[in-house]
Every structure is written in structure tokens, then in C-alpha cells.
Amino acid sequence: MRETSDQACQLRLRDGVIKVQDLRIKKSSSLKDLPFFDPKAELGFGTHFTDHMFFCRYSESKGWHDAEIGPYGSLQLDPAASVLHYGQSLFEGMKAFRRGDGSIWLFRPQFNWERMCKGAQRLTLPEPSQEVYIEGLKKLLEIDQRWVPPLLGTSLYIRPTLIGSEAFLGLRPAKEAFFFIILSPVGFYYAEGNKLVKIWVEAKDVRASEGGLGSVKAGANYAASLRASMIAKKRGYSQVLWLDSKHEGIEEVGTMNVFFVFDDEIVTPNLNGSILPGGVRDSVLQLLRNSGLAQGRMVSERRITIQELTERQAKGELREAFGTGTAAVISPIGEICGEHQSFVISHESGPVSTSLLETLQGIQWGSLKDDFGWMCPLEEL
Ligand code: COI
């Protein structure tokens, strides 16, 4: 089996002497009721939070220090903190899964740590060390492990977050930062569940442009996306198709990377500097290229314009479209509408997106072999 970067990193973690020094643990005195044992309860996305959180401070003089796991609760932040004024804020989205035998597994944890470090460089925030990020996550998951839900289709969503916390109003990188991790048991991201979503082609707002923040998981990218998403929702669409700043090249869909399945080719926009390098995007590309799921089609990472998509759809070549992301996993697109186009792609999830979802979920829940070394058991984190 090939050694992927995920595997190499997991080995480093196992061998290493990685321990958060002096991690303080203060357990909550009143544990919450778990929200997922009532069969009628819909977990939804991001509404329940676990009993504890991990928190660590950074300062130029001390580096990362005061690591602590304590009861989930409010942060104490100075009103002059740079995150509140200049948006120095970055986050990650990860998932942990509970398998049939009760064991807990994480999907590509190293990928997310590395991506947060790249994002920190772009936003001039201190990179959380591997020790702080991974060991903090491991200890937190050990303490809150009863919160990893057992049902297929559910998981524990992990939200590591890095913010500039220094109280200083001059514009320069913050010399102090907070890194924290919160956990939320989740079901489906979209209210539609795993049904097909309707997408609006956004012709005015752009989510990000080359040279900006689009390729890192900055909170600001999500703020930039809200107005168009709200307008699309009012029109009856779940999400928007984001185009580049010339309103030509397709970039992303909603909060996800996007894939189009044509008769002879599967295309996803290339990482041009304004597109987020998604972990599920990368995994889908590896699956398509290495496991026959592309069903003989060429797999391309290249620029694709809305004009090309519309023309190829009109010629009958477009078979499927879907979004990929940690939260939504694989989200098939049923319909695309905009000022210059309106077409139905499919009324049901197509064979490529269906088999990708089944394969990814099979790897995550352990019913399929993990040939890529993506899954990491909690005890080996
Ligand atoms: C994720 O898929 O993890 C995301 O970050 C999207 C978020 C808006 C829920």
C-alpha cells in the first residue's frame, strides 16, 4: 500500500513525544443529557455542544501556554481583541465516528491540522503546534467520548478555532491568540437531509478572489457568502454556485467544493488560489482516480466556466453534479438556475455521487477497507 502523507503523519504522532505540558483538566460538575437517544430527535447541524472544550493561549513571550480542558462555556475576550475588529479568525471542520464495536475513529486529522497551519500563515496568526492541536483534541475526545453518536449518518463534528486575542487597535498582527476546540454531535447539514439540492448561480457577490483568503478557512470567507445565500434561500434555493470575480469560472458551491460528471469526464475546479482545498474534495479525487468509481471517465482538476457547464448541459452531456465538504459529505445537486440558465440535472442522486458517498461512509464507519490510511483510531491519535 502507498504511504500517504496522512499515514506518514500518523506514524510521526505515534512515535513522537507529543504531550501538551501541564494540561489542566477541570471536569464539568453537571453533565448534559445526550440529544441522540430520542428516536424522534433530529440532531441537525451545530446546535448541540458537548460538556467540555479545549482552550489554549498564545503570546509572543510564552508561546502556546495555559492549555486547559474545562466545561463548555463563554470565552472572556477583551473588546479590543483583533478578531473583533480586523477579523483574524480561522477554523477547521473535522469529524469523529463511532463504529459498531463502539470504537471512535477520526477522518484525516493531520490534513486539518496542516491546513490550519497554512491558514495561520496567511492570516499572520501563530500556528497551533501539533502538540497543542492533536494532543488537545485527543484528550478532549477522551473526556467527551460519550458524545460521539452511534447511528449511521451521524458523527461528532469537531470545530478547532484560532483567533487573534490581543487588545490593540493599531493594525498589525495580534501578538496574542486563543486556540480552542468545541465539539457538536451532528446529523445532516442541509435541512433537505441527503435529498438533492437546488442551486442559484450567483452573479453579483463573490465569495473570494485570487490573492484573497479563499484558499484558507478564514471566518471572513463565510461572512462574505451570507448575503447571496440569504437571497438565494428567499428565492427557494438551498445554496449558491460561486463564480470567480469575473463571474465566469466556477469556484465552489455553498460551503463546499463542487464536481460535475459529464459523459466522458469528471471535473472539479482546480485550486487556483481562491478555492478551499477541501479534505473531502481531495479524498473524492483519490477515490475517483484509484478505485474505478469514475467508471472510465477522465478525472480533471481544471478551470470550468458557467458558460461551458451550460453549453454541455444543453448538449445532454451533464449527468451529475455534487458538492463535497466535511459537514455535508457528498451533496448531490438536482437543479441549477441563474439569470442566464435554468436546468434540472437529475431528480435523484446519480451513480457516481451515490457510490462515492457509500464508499466514503463505508471507510469512515469501518465496513470498507481504508486503503488510503485516512482513518485514525482515537487511541492512536
Ligand atoms: C465544513 O464543511 O466543515 C464547513 O466548514 C462548512 C461550515 C460552514 C459548516
Side-chain angles (χ1 to χ4, degrees):
M1 191 168 69
R2 288 164 302 111
E3 191 183 79
T4 64
S5 78
D6 296 47
Q7 282 168 325
C9 292
Q10 281 173 28
L11 291 178
R12 269 210 313 276
L13 284 173
R14 274 173 224 159
D15 296 345
V17 279
I18 295 168
K19 288 279 165 279
V20 180
Q21 294 303 319
D22 306 323
L23 172 69
R24 276 194 310 273
I25 298 180
K26 284 194 234 154
K27 293 230 179 127
S28 173
S29 53
S30 61
L31 300 185
K32 303 174 194 171
D33 289 335
L34 295 178
F36 41 80
F37 287 120
D38 174 357
K40 287 196 268 352
E42 298 261 329
L43 269 183
F45 185 89
T47 54
H48 304 281
F49 298 97
T50 66
D51 295 310
H52 298 92
M53 63 187 284
F54 173 79
F55 180 84
C56 195
R57 286 173 196 276
Y58 174 89
S59 68
E60 269 191 359
S61 53
K62 291 190 187 164
W64 288 105
H65 62 283
D66 283 353
E68 176 178 306
I69 290 176
Y72 179 94
S74 308
L75 297 179
Q76 205 179 353
L77 196 61
D78 193 289
S82 72
V83 64
L84 300 176
H85 301 271
Y86 308 126
Q88 273 192 292
S89 157
L90 197 63
F91 70 92
E92 272 304 324
M94 307 167 66
K95 276 181 174 171
F97 303 88
R98 186 180 297 280
R99 292 190 175 168
D101 62 1
S103 60
I104 295 172
W105 294 70
L106 284 99
F107 183 66
R108 307 191 67 176
Q110 189 73 23
F111 180 97
N112 295 87
W113 169 63
E114 285 172 359
R115 189 171 65 180
M116 176 163 265
C117 291
K118 286 183 196 137
Q121 288 166 14
R122 176 65 184 85
L123 286 181
T124 59
L125 281 164
E127 295 173 34
S129 64
Q130 191 175 31
E131 174 189 18
V132 164
Y133 189 113
I134 300 284
E135 193 64 23
L137 175 59
K138 179 174 182 171
K139 287 272 161 3
L140 178 63
L141 285 171
E142 280 168 3
I143 290 173
D144 272 353
Q145 55 180 281
R146 71 188 187 105
W147 284 90
V148 185
L151 289 180
L152 194 69
T154 63
S155 55
L156 187 68
Y157 185 76
I158 301 167
R159 177 53 70 85
T161 307
L162 177 65
I163 58 173
S165 60
E166 188 190 3
F168 175 68
L169 292 182
L171 182 61
R172 59 152 172 73
K175 293 182 180 171
E176 291 167 16
F178 292 169
F179 171 71
F180 57 90
I181 307 175
I182 55 174
L183 307 172
S184 172
V186 297
F188 290 117
Y189 182 69
Y190 289 114
E192 292 91 334
N194 58 0
K195 294 201 201 79
L196 276 74
V197 289
K198 282 169 68 178
I199 299 297
W200 177 258
V201 183
E202 175 57 28
K204 187 169 171 238
D205 290 355
V206 291
R207 173 194 160 271
S209 59
E210 229 175 303
L213 300 178
S215 64
V216 300
K217 223 162 161 56
N221 293 330
Y222 297 80
S225 76
L226 289 172
R227 179 172 68 175
S229 313
M230 288 306 106
I231 295 173
K233 281 210 171 92
K234 278 198 193 127
R235 290 182 170 135
Y237 297 88
S238 304
Q239 286 292 339
V240 305
L241 190 67
W242 294 109
L243 303 182
D244 61 17
S245 54
K246 296 191 187 107
H247 301 291
E248 290 170 1
I250 296 173
E251 302 246 303
E252 296 189 11
V253 62
T255 61
M256 300 175 289
N257 295 114
V258 66
F259 284 74
F260 300 101
V261 181
F262 297 106
D263 284 333
D264 56 352
E265 185 187 16
I266 301 182
V267 185
T268 190
N270 54 308
L271 300 177
N272 59 4
S274 55
I275 291 175
L276 187 78
V280 179
R281 174 189 184 278
D282 180 75
S283 307
V284 161
L285 283 169
Q286 290 193 49
L287 284 172
L288 288 172
R289 288 180 172 141
N290 296 303
S291 66
L293 293 183
Q295 298 169 351
R297 294 174 174 96
M298 184 165 73
V299 179
S300 316
E301 290 174 78
R302 65 169 176 84
R303 184 167 191 266
I304 174 165
T305 62
I306 185 66
Q307 191 184 349
E308 175 186 343
L309 180 73
T310 308
E311 285 170 6
R312 292 185 78 175
Q313 190 281 331
K315 285 192 214 151
E317 295 173 17
L318 178 62
R319 298 279 159 236
E320 294 177 48
F322 56 89
T324 64
T326 299
V329 196
I330 305 280
S331 179
I333 298 170
E335 211 175 310
I336 294 186
C337 288
E339 281 164 18
H340 307 292
Q341 59 281 107
S342 171
F343 51 83
V344 172
I345 301 169
S346 176
H347 294 290
E348 55 190 31
S349 175
V352 175
S353 54
T354 306
S355 52
L356 281 167
L357 181 62
E358 284 170 3
T359 307
L360 266 175
Q361 289 190 327
I363 293 172
Q364 290 171 337
W365 272 282
S367 59
L368 291 179
K369 197 162 156 272
D370 175 20
D371 286 332
F372 299 90
W374 290 332
M375 301 308 294
C376 180
L378 176 56
E379 58 275 13
E380 286 180 25
L381 190 60

PDB file of all heavy atoms in Angstrom, residues 45 91-94 157 159 189 217 222 255 325-328, ligand 1:
ATOM      1  N   PHE A  45     -27.576  20.200  12.567  1.00  0.00           N
ATOM      2  CA  PHE A  45     -26.150  20.519  12.485  1.00  0.00           C
ATOM      3  C   PHE A  45     -25.798  21.695  13.390  1.00  0.00           C
ATOM      4  O   PHE A  45     -26.368  22.791  13.251  1.00  0.00           O
ATOM      5  CB  PHE A  45     -25.757  20.872  11.036  1.00  0.00           C
ATOM      6  CG  PHE A  45     -24.278  21.077  10.909  1.00  0.00           C
ATOM      7  CD1 PHE A  45     -23.433  20.017  10.626  1.00  0.00           C
ATOM      8  CD2 PHE A  45     -23.717  22.324  11.120  1.00  0.00           C
ATOM      9  CE1 PHE A  45     -22.064  20.190  10.567  1.00  0.00           C
ATOM     10  CE2 PHE A  45     -22.349  22.512  11.054  1.00  0.00           C
ATOM     11  CZ  PHE A  45     -21.527  21.446  10.770  1.00  0.00           C
ATOM     12  N   PHE A  91     -10.902  28.681  11.143  1.00  0.00           N
ATOM     13  CA  PHE A  91     -11.439  27.485  11.810  1.00  0.00           C
ATOM     14  C   PHE A  91     -11.215  26.257  10.953  1.00  0.00           C
ATOM     15  O   PHE A  91     -10.812  26.351   9.797  1.00  0.00           O
ATOM     16  CB  PHE A  91     -12.917  27.685  12.168  1.00  0.00           C
ATOM     17  CG  PHE A  91     -13.864  27.726  10.990  1.00  0.00           C
ATOM     18  CD1 PHE A  91     -14.475  26.567  10.539  1.00  0.00           C
ATOM     19  CD2 PHE A  91     -14.167  28.919  10.342  1.00  0.00           C
ATOM     20  CE1 PHE A  91     -15.354  26.592   9.467  1.00  0.00           C
ATOM     21  CE2 PHE A  91     -15.045  28.955   9.268  1.00  0.00           C
ATOM     22  CZ  PHE A  91     -15.638  27.788   8.834  1.00  0.00           C
ATOM     23  N   GLU A  92     -11.477  25.111  11.538  1.00  0.00           N
ATOM     24  CA  GLU A  92     -11.425  23.841  10.821  1.00  0.00           C
ATOM     25  C   GLU A  92     -12.722  23.087  11.063  1.00  0.00           C
ATOM     26  O   GLU A  92     -13.442  23.369  12.033  1.00  0.00           O
ATOM     27  CB  GLU A  92     -10.248  22.983  11.315  1.00  0.00           C
ATOM     28  CG  GLU A  92      -8.941  23.243  10.591  1.00  0.00           C
ATOM     29  CD  GLU A  92      -9.041  23.082   9.088  1.00  0.00           C
ATOM     30  OE1 GLU A  92      -9.782  22.191   8.628  1.00  0.00           O
ATOM     31  OE2 GLU A  92      -8.401  23.861   8.362  1.00  0.00           O
ATOM     32  N   GLY A  93     -13.022  22.152  10.198  1.00  0.00           N
ATOM     33  CA  GLY A  93     -14.169  21.261  10.396  1.00  0.00           C
ATOM     34  C   GLY A  93     -13.654  19.835  10.259  1.00  0.00           C
ATOM     35  O   GLY A  93     -13.018  19.495   9.264  1.00  0.00           O
ATOM     36  N   MET A  94     -13.874  19.021  11.290  1.00  0.00           N
ATOM     37  CA  MET A  94     -13.402  17.628  11.254  1.00  0.00           C
ATOM     38  C   MET A  94     -14.531  16.750  11.803  1.00  0.00           C
ATOM     39  O   MET A  94     -15.473  17.272  12.384  1.00  0.00           O
ATOM     40  CB  MET A  94     -12.190  17.442  12.183  1.00  0.00           C
ATOM     41  CG  MET A  94     -11.074  18.404  11.939  1.00  0.00           C
ATOM     42  SD  MET A  94      -9.863  18.391  13.287  1.00  0.00           S
ATOM     43  CE  MET A  94      -9.169  16.764  13.155  1.00  0.00           C
ATOM     44  N   TYR A 157     -19.006  16.393  15.128  1.00  0.00           N
ATOM     45  CA  TYR A 157     -18.323  17.433  14.352  1.00  0.00           C
ATOM     46  C   TYR A 157     -17.354  18.161  15.292  1.00  0.00           C
ATOM     47  O   TYR A 157     -17.719  18.505  16.426  1.00  0.00           O
ATOM     48  CB  TYR A 157     -19.360  18.404  13.786  1.00  0.00           C
ATOM     49  CG  TYR A 157     -18.768  19.448  12.861  1.00  0.00           C
ATOM     50  CD1 TYR A 157     -18.390  19.121  11.565  1.00  0.00           C
ATOM     51  CD2 TYR A 157     -18.604  20.756  13.281  1.00  0.00           C
ATOM     52  CE1 TYR A 157     -17.855  20.073  10.708  1.00  0.00           C
ATOM     53  CE2 TYR A 157     -18.067  21.716  12.431  1.00  0.00           C
ATOM     54  CZ  TYR A 157     -17.706  21.362  11.150  1.00  0.00           C
ATOM     55  OH  TYR A 157     -17.181  22.317  10.309  1.00  0.00           O
ATOM     56  N   ARG A 159     -14.755  21.360  15.865  1.00  0.00           N
ATOM     57  CA  ARG A 159     -14.514  22.709  15.359  1.00  0.00           C
ATOM     58  C   ARG A 159     -13.312  23.362  16.084  1.00  0.00           C
ATOM     59  O   ARG A 159     -13.475  24.038  17.090  1.00  0.00           O
ATOM     60  CB  ARG A 159     -15.793  23.536  15.567  1.00  0.00           C
ATOM     61  CG  ARG A 159     -15.743  24.986  15.169  1.00  0.00           C
ATOM     62  CD  ARG A 159     -15.262  25.228  13.770  1.00  0.00           C
ATOM     63  NE  ARG A 159     -16.119  24.839  12.682  1.00  0.00           N
ATOM     64  CZ  ARG A 159     -17.109  25.563  12.156  1.00  0.00           C
ATOM     65  NH1 ARG A 159     -17.396  26.731  12.648  1.00  0.00           N
ATOM     66  NH2 ARG A 159     -17.788  25.115  11.117  1.00  0.00           N
ATOM     67  N   TYR A 189     -26.289  18.117   7.339  1.00  0.00           N
ATOM     68  CA  TYR A 189     -26.008  19.549   7.315  1.00  0.00           C
ATOM     69  C   TYR A 189     -27.190  20.330   6.726  1.00  0.00           C
ATOM     70  O   TYR A 189     -27.607  21.344   7.249  1.00  0.00           O
ATOM     71  CB  TYR A 189     -24.737  19.824   6.497  1.00  0.00           C
ATOM     72  CG  TYR A 189     -24.384  21.287   6.490  1.00  0.00           C
ATOM     73  CD1 TYR A 189     -23.942  21.903   7.653  1.00  0.00           C
ATOM     74  CD2 TYR A 189     -24.525  22.059   5.339  1.00  0.00           C
ATOM     75  CE1 TYR A 189     -23.643  23.258   7.682  1.00  0.00           C
ATOM     76  CE2 TYR A 189     -24.219  23.411   5.355  1.00  0.00           C
ATOM     77  CZ  TYR A 189     -23.776  24.005   6.526  1.00  0.00           C
ATOM     78  OH  TYR A 189     -23.500  25.334   6.549  1.00  0.00           O
ATOM     79  N   LYS A 217      -9.329  28.628   5.550  1.00  0.00           N
ATOM     80  CA  LYS A 217     -10.658  28.556   6.165  1.00  0.00           C
ATOM     81  C   LYS A 217     -10.848  29.734   7.119  1.00  0.00           C
ATOM     82  O   LYS A 217     -10.998  29.579   8.348  1.00  0.00           O
ATOM     83  CB  LYS A 217     -10.825  27.210   6.873  1.00  0.00           C
ATOM     84  CG  LYS A 217     -12.183  26.613   6.606  1.00  0.00           C
ATOM     85  CD  LYS A 217     -12.226  25.149   6.901  1.00  0.00           C
ATOM     86  CE  LYS A 217     -13.641  24.649   7.091  1.00  0.00           C
ATOM     87  NZ  LYS A 217     -14.564  24.894   6.003  1.00  0.00           N
ATOM     88  N   TYR A 222     -16.791  33.129   5.009  1.00  0.00           N
ATOM     89  CA  TYR A 222     -18.161  32.703   5.265  1.00  0.00           C
ATOM     90  C   TYR A 222     -19.052  33.926   5.473  1.00  0.00           C
ATOM     91  O   TYR A 222     -20.205  33.939   5.055  1.00  0.00           O
ATOM     92  CB  TYR A 222     -18.170  31.718   6.440  1.00  0.00           C
ATOM     93  CG  TYR A 222     -17.372  30.479   6.065  1.00  0.00           C
ATOM     94  CD1 TYR A 222     -15.977  30.468   6.134  1.00  0.00           C
ATOM     95  CD2 TYR A 222     -18.010  29.362   5.545  1.00  0.00           C
ATOM     96  CE1 TYR A 222     -15.243  29.367   5.716  1.00  0.00           C
ATOM     97  CE2 TYR A 222     -17.285  28.259   5.134  1.00  0.00           C
ATOM     98  CZ  TYR A 222     -15.894  28.268   5.220  1.00  0.00           C
ATOM     99  OH  TYR A 222     -15.179  27.178   4.786  1.00  0.00           O
ATOM    100  N   THR A 255     -21.053  25.937   0.882  1.00  0.00           N
ATOM    101  CA  THR A 255     -19.852  25.829   1.717  1.00  0.00           C
ATOM    102  C   THR A 255     -18.979  24.658   1.250  1.00  0.00           C
ATOM    103  O   THR A 255     -18.179  24.141   2.021  1.00  0.00           O
ATOM    104  CB  THR A 255     -20.262  25.589   3.184  1.00  0.00           C
ATOM    105  OG1 THR A 255     -20.992  24.354   3.236  1.00  0.00           O
ATOM    106  CG2 THR A 255     -21.136  26.701   3.729  1.00  0.00           C
ATOM    107  N   GLY A 325     -17.871  18.274   1.159  1.00  0.00           N
ATOM    108  CA  GLY A 325     -17.399  19.048   2.305  1.00  0.00           C
ATOM    109  C   GLY A 325     -17.464  18.184   3.556  1.00  0.00           C
ATOM    110  O   GLY A 325     -18.146  17.151   3.568  1.00  0.00           O
ATOM    111  N   THR A 326     -16.784  18.615   4.597  1.00  0.00           N
ATOM    112  CA  THR A 326     -16.795  17.830   5.831  1.00  0.00           C
ATOM    113  C   THR A 326     -18.208  17.758   6.395  1.00  0.00           C
ATOM    114  O   THR A 326     -18.693  16.691   6.765  1.00  0.00           O
ATOM    115  CB  THR A 326     -15.854  18.469   6.869  1.00  0.00           C
ATOM    116  OG1 THR A 326     -14.553  18.450   6.320  1.00  0.00           O
ATOM    117  CG2 THR A 326     -15.858  17.712   8.178  1.00  0.00           C
ATOM    118  N   ALA A 327     -18.863  18.905   6.465  1.00  0.00           N
ATOM    119  CA  ALA A 327     -20.180  18.944   7.094  1.00  0.00           C
ATOM    120  C   ALA A 327     -21.203  18.168   6.270  1.00  0.00           C
ATOM    121  O   ALA A 327     -21.942  17.336   6.792  1.00  0.00           O
ATOM    122  CB  ALA A 327     -20.621  20.382   7.292  1.00  0.00           C
ATOM    123  N   ALA A 328     -21.268  18.440   4.968  1.00  0.00           N
ATOM    124  CA  ALA A 328     -22.319  17.852   4.135  1.00  0.00           C
ATOM    125  C   ALA A 328     -21.891  16.535   3.475  1.00  0.00           C
ATOM    126  O   ALA A 328     -22.724  15.843   2.887  1.00  0.00           O
ATOM    127  CB  ALA A 328     -22.756  18.848   3.074  1.00  0.00           C
TER     128      ALA A 328
HETATM  129  C1  COI B   1     -17.404  22.170   6.826  1.00  0.00           C
HETATM  130  O1  COI B   1     -17.876  21.512   5.883  1.00  0.00           O
HETATM  131  O2  COI B   1     -16.755  21.663   7.749  1.00  0.00           O
HETATM  132  C2  COI B   1     -17.541  23.609   6.860  1.00  0.00           C
HETATM  133  O3  COI B   1     -16.650  24.228   7.324  1.00  0.00           O
HETATM  134  C3  COI B   1     -18.736  24.281   6.431  1.00  0.00           C
HETATM  135  C4  COI B   1     -19.319  25.005   7.591  1.00  0.00           C
HETATM  136  C5  COI B   1     -19.941  26.275   7.150  1.00  0.00           C
HETATM  137  C6  COI B   1     -20.265  24.149   8.337  1.00  0.00           C
END
